[in-house]
Amino acid sequence: MTAETLSRLVQVGHAPTAQKLAQNIERIETLGQRLMAAFAERNLPNPGVEGPGADLYMTAAAGFVKTLTEQPAKMIGTQVSYWGETLANYARAQQALAQGQLTAPDDGSPADKRFANPLWQSHPYFNLVKKQYLTNARALKEAAQGLELPDEVARRRVTWLTNQIVDMMAPTNFLATNPDALEKAIETEGESLVRGLENLVRDVEQNGGEMVVTLADRGAFTVGENIGTAPGSVAHRTDLYELIQYAPTTDTVHAMPLIIFPPWINKFYILDLKPQNSLIRWLVEQGHTLFVVSWRNPTSDFAELGMEDYIGAYLDAMDRVRDLTGQRQLNAVGYCIAGTTLSLTLALLNQRGDDRVNAATLFTTLTDFSEQGEFTSFLQEDFVAGIAEEVQRHGLMRAQLMARTMSFLRANDLVWGPAIRSYMMGETPPAFDLLFWNGDSTNLPGRMALQYLRGLCQQNAFAGEGFELLGHKLRLSDVDVPLCAIACESDHIAPWKDCWRGVAQMGSRDKTFILSQSGHIAGIVNPPSKKKYGHYLSNHGFGEGAETWREKASFADGSWWPHWGEWLAERAGPMVAARHPEEGLEPAPGRYVHDRAA
């Protein structure tokens, strides 16, 4: 906009608007320069982790040619149906406009929270855009499902890629076809778009040239101040972990101590976000002497750490707990990948004749990877080879790659939706503790990541011929301690049937399985006070498959915590005087939890 135009706006009484517009243009120019500079800082891209390898496209192309050759009528029918529906959408919109009606034709589209704005229903332009998008999406998905593909892995990969394309091309992801963003821009005289550009520049600058949307207001939370505040002290520290002992809140406690191994893919304070949903506080209130491991966020110096080093840390932490409490045995909990590693540790202890673990609990833990579910696309050799290249470059599977991979399992909720709110609506990220934790990702040591991906996930060695570690060949059948496993009904990271299948193969004679409602986090962080999600229990055993177990199970309202608490109390020994942590190295939550991934 020229100075002459601005002057003309001032003369006709729009001085505030003209001044604001001039300021916004100046801000946009400055932000544009910063954005280009930030993008220039990006490392050389690694094609292996940017998208599927060429083999997937070749497989899809071969499937298309095969289907066209063998079933031409089917392919032609699909095309005719698609173009017929497209023309019908256009004709209905044209008819409404020709009649001078700025209203859309009747719309029987299924409910979709992306299209909540009434204009998607009432305005002929937006309604046409929405209907055509849904038509395109349906056509793409049906075409992908109709391809003649060589195996189920190829079908899952093609389906996954198709769904990613469909989600990415939603009209809500583009300013010109997003009524919410356009309304906000008009309402704020363009200020929302400038704020959105500021948010984009901030994210690109903070992530080394990568566009990673911030999910939560990082200034709203400080670990140890308003989240992760359960009182305790760091009793022990190594280069890899800190061991935190929590202060008792009862006069007596169970004799047998309890140690929790959280996943090192994220940080342990998911178990202590706030007092009302803190599993850590709840366990202390049940009379357990509780220890929790806080893992170090690895740097490139940790590149050569492997699964054996983490198992060594498990054993070291257990030794320290036994020394501090004077108890020969303890109970242990492993969450997600830490549950997988706890299972390996239990198998190792069994082979060594070491009975230090009295009973174990597994939260959302995979040990049999014969079904890879939604991770199928990420566990094929093209992607794993890309990760291996990342490891060679950086010594790590960096937090940014791990977070992006997890986010694209739920792209609309964790990628496109937050990007729309931040970059197009100009909104400040929400002050949401769970999303804050989700964004506080960690690196993985390169050697450990490849051992896990190749040995456990791709080769499924633990459930098969045996996973070789520390001079032993470890198998699921070696796990023989009393066991309680909790899985979550809608968990997309560790599907409950896959969790069940691994537990079914373990050698323990005393096995309990609990199926919680909800997902990987909400199903576990489910305090009794909320009365939100129920759970399923069954005495049917593990002999007839997961579906039969589920059919025979009974439903119980509310949290599974009390049921597990009873199971744990029966295996935790008599009550003794409460054990108070010594002053230790520093107060909980310790030092390592504050390390941010570079």
Side-chain angles (χ1 to χ4, degrees):
M1 179 174 289
T2 65
E4 181 181 354
T5 306
L6 288 174
S7 176
R8 206 176 298 128
L9 283 171
V10 171
Q11 291 172 9
V12 296
H14 294 284
T17 300
Q19 184 177 11
K20 185 174 183 179
L21 188 57
Q23 292 171 348
N24 282 341
I25 289 173
E26 185 175 346
R27 287 163 65 191
I28 289 171
E29 289 176 353
T30 302
L31 288 167
Q33 293 171 2
R34 284 175 55 192
L35 184 62
M36 291 302 102
F39 277 133
E41 295 296 319
R42 187 185 185 215
N43 291 321
L44 288 174
N46 176 358
V49 296
E50 296 293 330
D55 62 322
L56 177 59
Y57 298 105
M58 292 175 65
T59 299
F64 175 82
V65 172
K66 181 177 175 64
T67 306
L68 182 60
T69 302
E70 298 179 358
Q71 304 179 59
K74 179 180 178 181
M75 296 290 281
I76 293 171
T78 300
Q79 289 293 315
V80 169
S81 174
Y82 167 72
W83 285 111
E85 190 171 345
T86 296
L87 289 172
N89 290 340
Y90 182 75
R92 283 191 291 265
Q94 279 288 90
Q95 183 180 12
L97 289 171
Q99 294 173 350
Q101 301 172 356
L102 282 177
T103 57
D106 291 338
D107 186 353
S109 302
D112 187 324
K113 65 182 180 180
R114 292 175 297 179
F115 304 117
N117 190 305
L119 288 173
W120 290 114
Q121 296 290 116
S122 63
H123 194 284
Y125 167 72
F126 289 113
N127 186 256
L128 173 62
V129 167
K130 181 189 78 167
K131 283 186 174 178
Q132 191 57 43
Y133 166 71
L134 295 176
T135 297
N136 294 345
R138 186 164 52 252
L140 279 172
K141 290 181 179 182
E142 289 177 357
Q145 290 167 1
L147 291 178
E148 291 288 335
L149 297 171
D151 53 39
E152 184 60 26
V153 169
R155 183 160 303 285
R156 286 184 179 182
R157 297 190 77 194
V158 168
T159 299
W160 175 85
L161 181 59
T162 302
N163 290 338
Q164 293 298 319
I165 294 170
V166 166
D167 289 343
M168 179 178 65
M169 297 308 295
T172 46
N173 295 340
F174 302 91
L175 178 62
T177 51
N178 186 318
D180 292 302
L182 291 171
E183 287 178 332
K184 187 72 172 287
I186 293 170
E187 177 188 330
T188 62
E189 297 180 320
E191 178 67 21
S192 60
L193 299 179
V194 180
R195 289 199 303 266
L197 183 56
E198 288 175 340
N199 291 341
L200 173 61
V201 171
R202 176 205 62 211
D203 287 347
V204 175
E205 288 179 339
Q206 289 180 353
N207 291 283
E210 299 280 354
M211 192 169 68
V212 181
V213 62
T214 298
L215 297 178
D217 182 0
R218 299 217 61 84
F221 301 100
T222 301
V223 181
E225 293 185 10
N226 56 358
I227 52 175
T229 58
S233 109
V234 176
H236 178 58
R237 177 183 293 132
T238 71
D239 286 343
L240 186 55
Y241 75 93
E242 291 177 328
L243 180 66
I244 300 171
Q245 180 179 356
Y246 284 92
T249 58
T250 56
D251 294 332
T252 58
V253 295
H254 291 281
M256 203 164 292
L258 177 66
I259 183 170
I260 297 179
F261 295 100
W264 49 91
I265 291 174
N266 293 102
K267 296 184 179 177
F268 82 90
Y269 63 86
I270 186 61
L271 302 175
D272 187 35
L273 284 180
K274 47 193 172 187
Q276 56 266 41
N277 66 2
S278 171
L279 180 60
I280 286 174
R281 289 177 183 266
W282 185 84
L283 285 168
V284 169
E285 290 168 0
Q286 307 312 302
H288 293 284
T289 303
L290 180 64
F291 295 83
V292 176
V293 167
S294 174
W295 297 105
R296 183 87 173 267
N297 197 341
T299 64
S300 57
D301 294 337
F302 292 74
E304 292 304 313
L305 286 183
M307 292 294 293
E308 61 271 31
D309 295 291
Y310 280 89
I311 289 178
Y314 276 50
L315 299 177
D316 182 61
M318 291 177 184
D319 284 339
R320 184 61 57 164
V321 169
R322 295 194 298 166
D323 290 343
L324 289 168
T325 61
Q327 293 291 311
R328 190 178 67 83
Q329 287 188 305
L330 49 73
N331 292 325
V333 178
Y335 191 171
C336 192
I337 189 177
T340 307
T341 309
L342 177 59
S343 301
L344 290 167
T345 305
L346 294 172
L348 176 68
L349 290 172
N350 181 26
Q351 290 193 17
R352 288 180 174 179
D354 188 330
D355 67 349
R356 69 179 65 192
V357 177
N358 175 65
T361 301
L362 305 176
F363 294 167
T364 62
T365 293
L366 293 174
T367 50
D368 180 344
F369 295 85
S370 55
E371 289 291 329
Q372 297 172 348
E374 294 190 46
F375 282 95
T376 298
S377 293
F378 299 112
L379 291 176
Q380 302 314 302
E381 188 54 31
D382 55 353
F383 191 75
V384 175
I387 293 174
E389 186 178 337
E390 283 282 296
V391 167
Q392 189 172 6
R393 286 186 188 181
H394 307 287
L396 302 165
M397 183 175 178
R398 293 179 298 166
Q400 192 177 90
L401 175 58
M402 174 63 70
R404 186 178 68 185
T405 301
M406 294 296 187
S407 293
F408 274 99
L409 293 176
R410 289 293 180 269
N412 285 327
D413 293 331
L414 295 176
V415 180
W416 307 120
I420 289 166
R421 292 189 291 273
S422 185
Y423 304 152
M424 283 200 279
M425 306 290 288
E427 296 177 4
T428 301
F432 186 11
D433 54 1
L434 181 58
L435 289 179
F436 174 88
W437 168 84
N438 189 71
D440 193 6
S441 301
T442 58
N443 301 316
L444 299 182
R447 184 162 170 268
M448 170 263 139
L450 292 176
Q451 281 178 301
Y452 180 81
L453 291 171
R454 289 208 160 114
L456 289 170
C457 297
Q458 287 186 322
Q459 299 169 16
N460 197 26
F462 193 27
E465 295 299 317
F467 187 69
E468 294 188 8
L469 210 65
L470 295 167
H472 294 259
K473 186 170 280 192
L474 306 175
R475 298 179 178 86
L476 278 173
S477 57
D478 294 323
V479 179
D480 67 346
V481 301
L483 192 69
C484 183
I486 295 90
C488 299
E489 193 173 27
S490 56
D491 192 338
H492 63 284
I493 294 174
W496 78 266
K497 293 178 185 178
D498 299 336
C499 296
W500 188 96
R501 190 175 59 252
V503 173
Q505 297 173 68
M506 292 180 179
S508 306
R509 291 189 296 274
D510 176 4
K511 290 189 287 193
T512 297
F513 191 85
I514 301 173
L515 179 60
S516 174
Q517 290 183 313
S518 196
H520 194 70
I521 300 300
I524 297 298
V525 183
N526 180 26
S529 60
K530 294 288 185 182
K531 298 180 180 179
K532 193 170 185 180
Y533 302 118
H535 58 283
Y536 298 88
L537 302 165
S538 175
N539 294 319
H540 191 68
F542 294 84
E544 298 183 53
E547 286 292 354
T548 302
W549 182 95
R550 175 69 176 77
E551 290 170 4
K552 301 288 185 181
S554 59
F555 179 75
D557 288 321
S559 173
W560 54 269
W561 291 10
H563 185 87
W564 175 56
E566 293 174 6
W567 182 92
L568 195 58
E570 292 172 1
R571 295 159 179 79
M575 305 304 287
V576 300
R579 306 179 181 101
H580 293 269
E582 299 177 1
E583 183 177 348
L585 302 176
E586 61 183 278
R591 181 179 306 171
Y592 288 168
V593 74
H594 298 291
D595 291 346
R596 298 278 299 165

